[in-house]
Amino acid sequence: MTATVTVIGGGYAGITVAKALDDVADVTLVEPRDTFVHNVAALRAVTDPVWVERLFIPYEGLLTRGRIRHDRAVRMFGSAVELGSGDRVTSDFVVLATGSRHTYPAKLDVDDSVDARAKLWATHEALSRAPRVLLLGAGPVGLEFAGEIKAAWPDKHVTVVDPAPELMPGGFPAEFRAEVHAQLAALGVELLLGTALTAPPPTAPGHTAPFTTTTSAGAELSADIWFACYGAAPNIGYLVPGRRLDVTPELRLPGSDTIFALGDITSVPEMKMARAAQRHAEVAAANIRALIDGQTNLTAYEPAHDAIVLPLGPHGGVSYAPEAGVLGPEATVGIKGGLFLDAYLDLLGAEAAR
Ligand SMILES: Cc1cc2nc3c(=O)[nH]c(=O)nc-3n(C[C@H](O)[C@H](O)[C@H](O)COP(=O)(O)OP(=O)(O)OC[C@H]3O[C@@H](n4cnc5c(N)ncnc54)[C@H](O)[C@@H]3O)c2cc1C
């Protein structure tokens, strides 16, 4: 009898674990979106619409034996998963990989790829009409977005505000932050750290309309469009609302032998990254294979050290990993100039969409 595996969520972790188990198990991947969304490239898709099409990669080439079910988990009863359609799915193994949401456009907030494309084009158009841009948050999303905007429209005034005293949370050396500061200054990005807005801007995010607001330092700040670039939260409303999931070293839910959880929904102590989510998927797939074979010796996941490849526009950026140290724009563009698109086209068995 072939073991059955239900993977909930077809993001970076979900597609990796589903594909890795397709040859040994009967895999069902449950995902509400009609295509995979390569959200690593979402910010560039707003500034350079050539990337709008590239963001959406069909799921059809991912699995040879298994299937994709366009539905969403709404509740779990033990290891049974209730879907939005009302169906209840039971299987030998369940893998929870429903990831996280973030403010748009860092992560898309509509499931249908036609609507999502239209929204990205509308945001591009709104941004192109705004001479002054305000970004709230000097973490990777705010800084990457600032770099993309200045690369696409060098004449726009871009201001990044963050209440934290330094940019980029995480265990990064001073040399990394100094290089980020230097490149942002060269791009002409205005950075206001250690200060917050006294009230949210009066306009809706992503809409073009001039406004003036004040900072906690008492300064007036005027802009024509703004975006919130902070606030990732796990998608686990079908389980325990609002809290990341604790997992065992083998990436199982505590107390369960057959339910695994991967990627951004977990409380594994490391930066929430696609590459970490995919490493979780590899460990979980190895463990599910071992359990299918009747083995009891499972692999433990080692949390990753803080590391990042941070583009600041298509020609700039800074990277850091403990083993490589700080890398400047040339190396960063070498690693991530193509935003890893080819790797995901390969994984999903898809052709480039242009
Ligand atoms: C702008 C930006 C740039 C980034 N760049 C990088 C980068 O360069 N490198 C890197 O390593 N990381 C990067 N990250 C982080 C990376 O995107 C996340 O860590 C990654 O998406 C996590 O993968 P995941 O599979 O856990 O979840 P997700 O990618 O969030 O996928 C979750 C999937 O589950 C689906 N889902 C949600 N709820 C349900 C439900 N109830 N039932 C069924 N399915 C559901 C969603 O539709 C989605 O497809 C970036 C993040 C952002 C926002």
Side-chain angles (χ1 to χ4, degrees), residues 12-279:
Y12 296 95
I15 58 169
T16 307
V17 73
K19 178 137 185 166
L21 292 170
D22 195 34
D23 63 336
V24 286
D26 182 8
V27 176
T28 300
L29 175 63
V30 177
E31 165 60 51
R33 295 182 189 273
D34 56 328
T35 70
F36 175 79
V37 174
H38 181 35
N39 92 265
V40 165
L43 300 173
R44 188 160 305 163
V46 170
T47 57
D48 177 1
V50 163
W51 279 86
V52 170
E53 278 309 309
R54 297 177 185 167
L55 228 54
F56 304 96
I57 307 178
Y59 279 116
E60 281 69 23
L62 177 69
L63 302 178
T64 305
R65 299 198 323 163
R67 68 209 60 77
I68 318 288
R69 212 168 151 169
H70 293 295
D71 208 333
R72 66 168 59 244
V74 292
R75 215 170 325 177
M76 281 191 74
F77 303 91
S79 62
V81 184
E82 186 179 309
L83 304 181
S85 57
D87 289 354
R88 204 177 275 200
V89 180
T90 53
S91 53
D92 299 319
F93 298 93
V94 177
V95 182
L96 307 177
T98 46
S100 60
R101 56 190 176 281
H102 201 293
T103 45
Y104 172 83
K107 283 206 163 178
L108 305 187
D109 52 4
V110 284
D111 287 344
D112 183 85
S113 62
V114 173
D115 296 344
R117 284 176 175 88
K119 187 162 181 177
L120 287 164
W121 274 102
T123 307
H124 173 79
E125 199 273 328
L127 194 49
S128 66
R129 285 190 289 114
R132 299 162 303 172
V133 184
L134 173 61
L135 303 176
L136 303 182
V141 171
L143 300 183
E144 183 174 332
F145 204 13
E148 294 291 346
I149 293 168
K150 285 299 279 186
W153 295 284
D155 293 340
K156 284 194 195 304
H157 188 90
V158 177
T159 306
V160 182
V161 174
D162 197 307
E166 60 180 14
L167 48 72
M168 289 291 295
F172 300 113
E175 191 194 344
F176 170 83
R177 291 196 171 88
E179 178 63 23
V180 177
H181 273 285
Q183 288 191 38
L184 289 173
L187 286 166
V189 173
E190 183 185 22
L191 202 52
L192 301 178
L193 297 177
T195 193
L197 300 188
T198 50
T203 56
H207 290 268
T208 319
F211 65 88
T212 299
T213 178
T214 42
T215 70
S216 51
E220 279 204 339
L221 195 55
S222 297
D224 304 294
I225 196 168
W226 69 280
F227 296 90
C229 301
Y230 59 88
N235 292 322
I236 48 168
Y238 57 98
L239 269 176
V240 195
R243 196 165 62 71
R244 287 201 148 88
L245 296 177
D246 290 337
V247 287
T248 66
E250 301 79 32
L251 302 175
R252 292 187 283 199
L253 294 189
S256 170
D257 289 339
T258 57
I259 306 178
F260 289 74
L262 317 177
D264 280 12
I265 54 166
T266 69
S267 63
V268 173
E270 61 187 357
M271 289 178 73
K272 299 300 167 206
M273 299 294 253
R275 67 166 179 276
Q278 291 187 270
R279 284 184 54 234

